[in-house]
Amino acid sequence: MRRIPEGDLLPRRVCEDCGFIDYENPKIVVGSVCHWEAKLLLCRRAIDPRKGYWTLPAGYLELNEAADAGARREAWEEARAEIEIEQLLGIYSIARLSQVQLIFRARLLSPQVAPGPETSELDMFAWDDIPWGDVAFPSVHWALEHYRQSRDRHAFAPFTNPGDATGDLPPAGSL
């Protein structure tokens, strides 16, 4: 039954027999801006949402998985890329999806990459060649820009959503 448990402020699903409270928590996404020399790895999505658009190698963190290990796993799954995590680049909050994204800055250990099952193609882009109009999500734009701002820095505080940005997708064709 859905009700506000004693001592809580929000309605939750509560078992009337045993009192178990089923807390629903945000999903954690992990990924990375992967670089090789002056180029950045992008993956064209082979799945919805935003099939056909370019993104970073990223996906949901698994249970019992450290965030950096999840980012390395996602780079392998989506791009057959082996990476070295350099630093946490950004923490992005997408409230409408109940999602928190942890995006790392990472160095490719080799430029040898290949599409995984959720990727239709890959490419390594120089900054000026990134297909900005075909980037899948606002948080990918943010992460790429934050990478550009931090690429020559060895240490920095992780970035967050810019200004009052929420991560909502703009109307089709306006990205």
Side-chain angles (χ1 to χ4, degrees), residues 92-94 138-147 160-162 165-167:
Y92 306 119
S93 179
I94 315 299
S139 58
V140 174
H141 282 268
W142 305 339
L144 290 169
E145 177 58 30
H146 292 149
Y147 170 82
T160 60
N161 298 35
T166 63

Side-chain angles (χ1 to χ4, degrees), residues 124-144:
M124 300 290 293
F125 292 96
W127 183 259
D128 292 336
D129 296 328
I130 293 172
W132 294 105
D134 290 329
V135 169
F137 307 107
S139 58
V140 174
H141 282 268
W142 305 339
L144 290 169

Side-chain angles (χ1 to χ4, degrees), residues 24-55:
E24 297 173 294
N25 301 107
K27 296 286 188 179
I28 306 295
V29 170
V30 290
S32 53
V33 176
C34 303
H35 63 91
W36 177 262
E37 297 172 354
K39 294 194 173 185
L40 303 174
L41 173 66
L42 292 179
C43 306
R44 190 182 294 269
R45 293 179 58 82
I47 60 170
D48 283 320
R50 308 288 285 168
K51 182 178 179 178
Y53 287 83
W54 293 95
T55 192

Side-chain angles (χ1 to χ4, degrees), residues 48-167:
D48 283 320
R50 308 288 285 168
K51 182 178 179 178
Y53 287 83
W54 293 95
T55 192
L56 303 171
Y60 290 110
L61 185 66
E62 298 291 346
L63 293 176
N64 305 308
E65 183 177 46
D68 59 336
R72 284 191 300 274
R73 175 185 51 76
E74 285 292 339
W76 178 256
E77 286 179 3
E78 298 203 5
R80 298 302 184 242
E82 293 187 16
I83 63 173
E84 176 185 325
I85 300 291
E86 295 177 335
Q87 179 169 344
L88 181 61
L89 176 67
I91 303 168
Y92 306 119
S93 179
I94 315 299
R96 73 178 174 83
L97 299 175
S98 295
Q99 203 177 81
V100 175
Q101 299 180 2
L102 304 175
I103 305 299
F104 293 88
R105 186 173 77 179
R107 182 178 63 83
L108 285 164
L109 296 179
S110 163
Q112 304 304 313
V113 293
E118 297 180 0
T119 302
S120 62
E121 70 176 294
L122 303 167
D123 209 341
M124 300 290 293
F125 292 96
W127 183 259
D128 292 336
D129 296 328
I130 293 172
W132 294 105
D134 290 329
V135 169
F137 307 107
S139 58
V140 174
H141 282 268
W142 305 339
L144 290 169
E145 177 58 30
H146 292 149
Y147 170 82
R148 187 185 66 73
Q149 291 175 30
S150 68
R151 69 181 167 210
D152 296 326
R153 294 165 54 192
H154 294 288
F156 53 90
F159 293 87
T160 60
N161 298 35
D164 61 357
T166 63

